[in-house]
Amino acid sequence: MTKSIPIYQPFLKGNERKYVLDCMDSNWISSKGKYVREFEESIEDFVGNISATSCSNGTVALHLALLALEIGPGDEVIVPSFTYIASVNAIKYVGATPVFVDSESDSWNASSNTIKNKITPSTKAIMCVHIYGNPCDLDPIFKLAKKNNIKVIEDCAEALGSKYKNEHVGVKSDISTFSFFGNKTITTGEGGMVFSKNSDLIEKVAHLKNQSVSQEIAYWHDLVGYNYRLTNIASAIGLAQMEKVEEILESKRNIASLYNFYLENLGLSFQEILSESVSSYWLNVVKTPSKSALNRIKGNLTQAGVEVRPAFPLVSKMPPYREMASHEFPLANEISETALCLPSYPGLRESDIQFISELITISINEE
């Protein structure tokens, strides 16, 4: 049997069309218009105890966060090697040096144990990435950062809805970011958000993203700024998405539970989530016993019309960064080479999960 099951597709079941048409009818289609601030406020309300400002994508959100912390040439930023490349590229944009660390074998995240030996007098910040929505163990990292007087940035691109000890991830760090790309938990097509409990930092980000234009003198710019604004149309989609965010997250939790049920006792493993944490389950990613098992599973699923994708390759292996990596990262490398991302969109049906799981079971038993 052949189906067509994508790895992800957005959940556009609310007021997206209505709000976008309202933008068009009002002629407010660019970066001015009521939906920009309403979307930002919806994020502030959802996360709690933060200020937020939107931007054009998740990568520039990280760039703005680093700029706001005044990180630049001569500074080092600790970052996991097992992450999407945007986390690392943003560090290079400001002229700082990324310092790669390994991942934990259970959570697949960086931790205080993988970070502590990489701190030097040049370390300015630690970038925590909640990989696939699974929260890092933050308190030991915060303790390490405080001891060494360094900043913490949280890359929450995949972690909208993730919680650590009853608080949304990103709240306790110096500054944090979201991504709203088309395959994220909620989407604006392309979009991002920078947020922090420090409202002065967010005001600084808002100034930088808007070409650093003066609020008093027309067309006067007091800093080198950036055109990183989010449009009113994108924000309208985002606001409609946020009206459905709890429904989306509940669906994704149910999908994760079903995958765990149908794939148990096969020698596969999922990320371990701390008992005091809640994952957004942005993607359900399964670690296979070997590369050969991964290739069989991937081949059978692809042939049956099920879209899958590999786990992130290590950024430290990529041409722009391989000379910066002082050594190998064996735990992260094993995850990267044997894990597979499965369909995880909110509208995925249980019958589709059963179909996918049966093919995986057959693939495992072929060995």
Short mmCIF file of all heavy atoms in Angstrom, two decimals, residues 122-156:
data_model
loop_
_atom_site.label_atom_id
_atom_site.label_comp_id
_atom_site.label_asym_id
_atom_site.label_seq_id
_atom_site.Cartn_x
_atom_site.Cartn_y
_atom_site.Cartn_z
N SER A 122 37.24 33.82 27.62
CA SER A 122 36.59 34.50 26.48
C SER A 122 35.12 34.13 26.32
O SER A 122 34.44 34.69 25.46
CB SER A 122 37.33 34.15 25.19
OG SER A 122 38.67 34.63 25.22
N THR A 123 34.65 33.19 27.12
CA THR A 123 33.26 32.76 26.99
C THR A 123 32.31 33.87 27.42
O THR A 123 32.36 34.33 28.57
CB THR A 123 32.98 31.50 27.84
OG1 THR A 123 33.90 30.47 27.46
CG2 THR A 123 31.56 31.02 27.61
N LYS A 124 31.46 34.29 26.51
CA LYS A 124 30.52 35.38 26.80
C LYS A 124 29.11 34.85 27.02
O LYS A 124 28.31 35.46 27.72
CB LYS A 124 30.53 36.38 25.63
CG LYS A 124 29.78 37.67 25.89
CD LYS A 124 30.50 38.59 26.84
CE LYS A 124 29.79 39.93 26.98
NZ LYS A 124 29.98 40.81 25.80
N ALA A 125 28.79 33.70 26.39
CA ALA A 125 27.42 33.19 26.50
C ALA A 125 27.37 31.69 26.24
O ALA A 125 28.25 31.13 25.59
CB ALA A 125 26.50 33.92 25.51
N ILE A 126 26.31 31.09 26.75
CA ILE A 126 25.95 29.71 26.45
C ILE A 126 24.64 29.76 25.68
O ILE A 126 23.69 30.42 26.12
CB ILE A 126 25.75 28.87 27.72
CG1 ILE A 126 27.05 28.80 28.54
CG2 ILE A 126 25.25 27.48 27.39
CD1 ILE A 126 26.84 28.29 29.95
N MET A 127 24.58 29.10 24.54
CA MET A 127 23.33 29.00 23.79
C MET A 127 22.74 27.61 24.02
O MET A 127 23.28 26.61 23.56
CB MET A 127 23.54 29.25 22.30
CG MET A 127 22.23 29.29 21.51
SD MET A 127 22.44 29.57 19.74
CE MET A 127 22.99 31.29 19.73
N CYS A 128 21.64 27.57 24.73
CA CYS A 128 20.92 26.31 24.96
C CYS A 128 19.91 26.10 23.84
O CYS A 128 19.11 27.00 23.56
CB CYS A 128 20.18 26.35 26.30
SG CYS A 128 21.23 26.55 27.73
N VAL A 129 19.95 24.95 23.22
CA VAL A 129 19.00 24.60 22.15
C VAL A 129 18.14 23.44 22.64
O VAL A 129 18.67 22.38 22.97
CB VAL A 129 19.74 24.20 20.86
CG1 VAL A 129 18.72 23.91 19.75
CG2 VAL A 129 20.71 25.29 20.42
N HIS A 130 16.85 23.66 22.69
CA HIS A 130 15.93 22.61 23.12
C HIS A 130 15.59 21.74 21.91
O HIS A 130 14.59 21.96 21.21
CB HIS A 130 14.67 23.23 23.73
CG HIS A 130 14.96 24.20 24.84
ND1 HIS A 130 15.52 23.80 26.03
CD2 HIS A 130 14.80 25.54 24.92
CE1 HIS A 130 15.67 24.87 26.81
NE2 HIS A 130 15.24 25.93 26.16
N ILE A 131 16.43 20.76 21.67
CA ILE A 131 16.39 20.04 20.41
C ILE A 131 15.08 19.26 20.25
O ILE A 131 14.68 18.52 21.15
CB ILE A 131 17.64 19.13 20.26
CG1 ILE A 131 17.89 18.78 18.81
CG2 ILE A 131 17.58 17.91 21.14
CD1 ILE A 131 18.49 19.89 18.02
N TYR A 132 14.43 19.46 19.13
CA TYR A 132 13.15 18.84 18.79
C TYR A 132 12.06 19.13 19.82
O TYR A 132 11.05 18.43 19.87
CB TYR A 132 13.32 17.33 18.58
CG TYR A 132 14.28 16.97 17.48
CD1 TYR A 132 15.38 16.15 17.72
CD2 TYR A 132 14.12 17.49 16.19
CE1 TYR A 132 16.28 15.84 16.70
CE2 TYR A 132 15.02 17.19 15.17
CZ TYR A 132 16.10 16.37 15.43
OH TYR A 132 16.99 16.07 14.42
N GLY A 133 12.27 20.17 20.64
CA GLY A 133 11.27 20.57 21.62
C GLY A 133 11.51 20.05 23.02
O GLY A 133 10.76 20.39 23.94
N ASN A 134 12.54 19.22 23.20
CA ASN A 134 12.83 18.64 24.52
C ASN A 134 13.65 19.63 25.35
O ASN A 134 14.76 19.99 24.98
CB ASN A 134 13.61 17.34 24.36
CG ASN A 134 13.79 16.59 25.67
OD1 ASN A 134 13.03 16.79 26.61
ND2 ASN A 134 14.79 15.74 25.73
N PRO A 135 13.12 20.09 26.50
CA PRO A 135 13.85 21.09 27.28
C PRO A 135 15.19 20.59 27.82
O PRO A 135 15.31 19.46 28.30
CB PRO A 135 12.89 21.40 28.45
CG PRO A 135 11.54 21.01 27.95
CD PRO A 135 11.79 19.82 27.07
N CYS A 136 16.19 21.44 27.73
CA CYS A 136 17.47 21.18 28.40
C CYS A 136 17.25 21.19 29.91
O CYS A 136 16.30 21.78 30.42
CB CYS A 136 18.48 22.27 28.04
SG CYS A 136 18.91 22.40 26.30
N ASP A 137 18.17 20.56 30.62
CA ASP A 137 18.18 20.65 32.08
C ASP A 137 18.82 21.99 32.43
O ASP A 137 20.04 22.12 32.51
CB ASP A 137 18.96 19.48 32.67
CG ASP A 137 18.79 19.38 34.18
OD1 ASP A 137 18.01 20.17 34.75
OD2 ASP A 137 19.42 18.50 34.79
N LEU A 138 17.98 23.00 32.65
CA LEU A 138 18.46 24.37 32.68
C LEU A 138 19.11 24.81 33.99
O LEU A 138 20.08 25.58 33.97
CB LEU A 138 17.29 25.32 32.34
CG LEU A 138 16.80 25.26 30.89
CD1 LEU A 138 15.48 26.00 30.75
CD2 LEU A 138 17.84 25.84 29.94
N ASP A 139 18.59 24.39 35.11
CA ASP A 139 19.10 24.92 36.38
C ASP A 139 20.61 24.73 36.55
O ASP A 139 21.31 25.68 36.96
CB ASP A 139 18.34 24.30 37.55
CG ASP A 139 17.00 24.99 37.79
OD1 ASP A 139 16.73 26.01 37.12
OD2 ASP A 139 16.21 24.49 38.62
N PRO A 140 21.16 23.54 36.27
CA PRO A 140 22.63 23.42 36.38
C PRO A 140 23.38 24.33 35.41
O PRO A 140 24.48 24.79 35.72
CB PRO A 140 22.87 21.94 36.06
CG PRO A 140 21.58 21.26 36.38
CD PRO A 140 20.53 22.24 35.99
N ILE A 141 22.79 24.59 34.25
CA ILE A 141 23.42 25.51 33.29
C ILE A 141 23.38 26.93 33.81
O ILE A 141 24.37 27.68 33.72
CB ILE A 141 22.74 25.39 31.91
CG1 ILE A 141 22.95 23.99 31.33
CG2 ILE A 141 23.29 26.45 30.95
CD1 ILE A 141 22.19 23.72 30.04
N PHE A 142 22.24 27.33 34.38
CA PHE A 142 22.14 28.67 34.97
C PHE A 142 23.16 28.85 36.10
O PHE A 142 23.79 29.90 36.23
CB PHE A 142 20.74 28.92 35.51
CG PHE A 142 19.66 29.01 34.47
CD1 PHE A 142 18.37 28.59 34.75
CD2 PHE A 142 19.93 29.52 33.21
CE1 PHE A 142 17.37 28.68 33.80
CE2 PHE A 142 18.93 29.62 32.24
CZ PHE A 142 17.65 29.19 32.54
N LYS A 143 23.32 27.81 36.91
CA LYS A 143 24.28 27.86 38.02
C LYS A 143 25.70 28.04 37.49
O LYS A 143 26.49 28.83 38.02
CB LYS A 143 24.16 26.59 38.86
CG LYS A 143 25.05 26.57 40.10
CD LYS A 143 24.83 25.29 40.91
CE LYS A 143 25.71 25.26 42.14
NZ LYS A 143 25.49 23.99 42.92
N LEU A 144 26.01 27.29 36.44
CA LEU A 144 27.33 27.38 35.82
C LEU A 144 27.56 28.78 35.22
O LEU A 144 28.65 29.36 35.36
CB LEU A 144 27.42 26.31 34.73
CG LEU A 144 28.78 25.92 34.16
CD1 LEU A 144 29.68 25.37 35.25
CD2 LEU A 144 28.59 24.87 33.05
N ALA A 145 26.53 29.31 34.57
CA ALA A 145 26.64 30.63 33.96
C ALA A 145 26.83 31.72 35.02
O ALA A 145 27.65 32.64 34.85
CB ALA A 145 25.39 30.92 33.13
N LYS A 146 26.07 31.63 36.09
CA LYS A 146 26.18 32.63 37.16
C LYS A 146 27.57 32.60 37.79
O LYS A 146 28.18 33.65 38.05
CB LYS A 146 25.11 32.38 38.21
CG LYS A 146 25.08 33.42 39.31
CD LYS A 146 23.95 33.15 40.29
CE LYS A 146 23.92 34.21 41.39
NZ LYS A 146 22.80 33.98 42.35
N LYS A 147 28.07 31.40 38.02
CA LYS A 147 29.40 31.24 38.63
C LYS A 147 30.47 31.90 37.77
O LYS A 147 31.45 32.46 38.28
CB LYS A 147 29.70 29.75 38.82
CG LYS A 147 31.08 29.47 39.40
CD LYS A 147 31.31 27.95 39.50
CE LYS A 147 32.72 27.65 40.00
NZ LYS A 147 32.95 26.17 40.06
N ASN A 148 30.31 31.81 36.45
CA ASN A 148 31.33 32.31 35.52
C ASN A 148 30.96 33.66 34.90
O ASN A 148 31.66 34.14 34.00
CB ASN A 148 31.58 31.28 34.43
CG ASN A 148 32.25 30.03 34.95
OD1 ASN A 148 33.46 29.98 35.08
ND2 ASN A 148 31.45 29.01 35.27
N ASN A 149 29.87 34.26 35.36
CA ASN A 149 29.44 35.57 34.88
C ASN A 149 29.27 35.62 33.36
O ASN A 149 29.80 36.49 32.67
CB ASN A 149 30.43 36.65 35.33
CG ASN A 149 29.88 38.06 35.14
OD1 ASN A 149 28.67 38.28 35.22
ND2 ASN A 149 30.77 39.00 34.88
N ILE A 150 28.55 34.62 32.84
CA ILE A 150 28.28 34.58 31.41
C ILE A 150 26.77 34.52 31.16
O ILE A 150 26.00 34.11 32.02
CB ILE A 150 28.99 33.40 30.71
CG1 ILE A 150 28.66 32.07 31.39
CG2 ILE A 150 30.48 33.61 30.69
CD1 ILE A 150 29.38 30.89 30.80
N LYS A 151 26.37 34.97 29.99
CA LYS A 151 24.95 35.05 29.63
C LYS A 151 24.43 33.70 29.14
O LYS A 151 25.20 32.85 28.68
CB LYS A 151 24.74 36.10 28.55
CG LYS A 151 25.25 37.50 28.89
CD LYS A 151 24.47 38.11 30.03
CE LYS A 151 24.90 39.56 30.28
NZ LYS A 151 24.16 40.15 31.42
N VAL A 152 23.11 33.55 29.21
CA VAL A 152 22.45 32.36 28.66
C VAL A 152 21.41 32.81 27.65
O VAL A 152 20.55 33.65 27.94
CB VAL A 152 21.79 31.51 29.75
CG1 VAL A 152 21.07 30.31 29.12
CG2 VAL A 152 22.82 31.02 30.76
N ILE A 153 21.51 32.24 26.46
CA ILE A 153 20.53 32.45 25.38
C ILE A 153 19.84 31.12 25.15
O ILE A 153 20.49 30.08 25.07
CB ILE A 153 21.24 32.89 24.07
CG1 ILE A 153 22.08 34.15 24.30
CG2 ILE A 153 20.24 33.08 22.95
CD1 ILE A 153 23.12 34.39 23.21
N GLU A 154 18.52 31.15 25.04
CA GLU A 154 17.79 29.91 24.72
C GLU A 154 17.25 29.99 23.31
O GLU A 154 16.49 30.90 22.97
CB GLU A 154 16.66 29.68 25.72
CG GLU A 154 17.13 29.23 27.09
CD GLU A 154 15.99 28.95 28.03
OE1 GLU A 154 15.12 28.10 27.70
OE2 GLU A 154 15.94 29.58 29.11
N ASP A 155 17.64 29.04 22.50
CA ASP A 155 17.09 28.86 21.16
C ASP A 155 15.87 27.95 21.31
O ASP A 155 15.99 26.73 21.40
CB ASP A 155 18.14 28.25 20.23
CG ASP A 155 17.63 28.06 18.81
OD1 ASP A 155 16.42 28.19 18.58
OD2 ASP A 155 18.47 27.74 17.93
N CYS A 156 14.70 28.58 21.33
CA CYS A 156 13.43 27.86 21.52
C CYS A 156 12.69 27.69 20.20
O CYS A 156 11.46 27.57 20.19
CB CYS A 156 12.55 28.61 22.52
SG CYS A 156 13.30 28.98 24.10
#
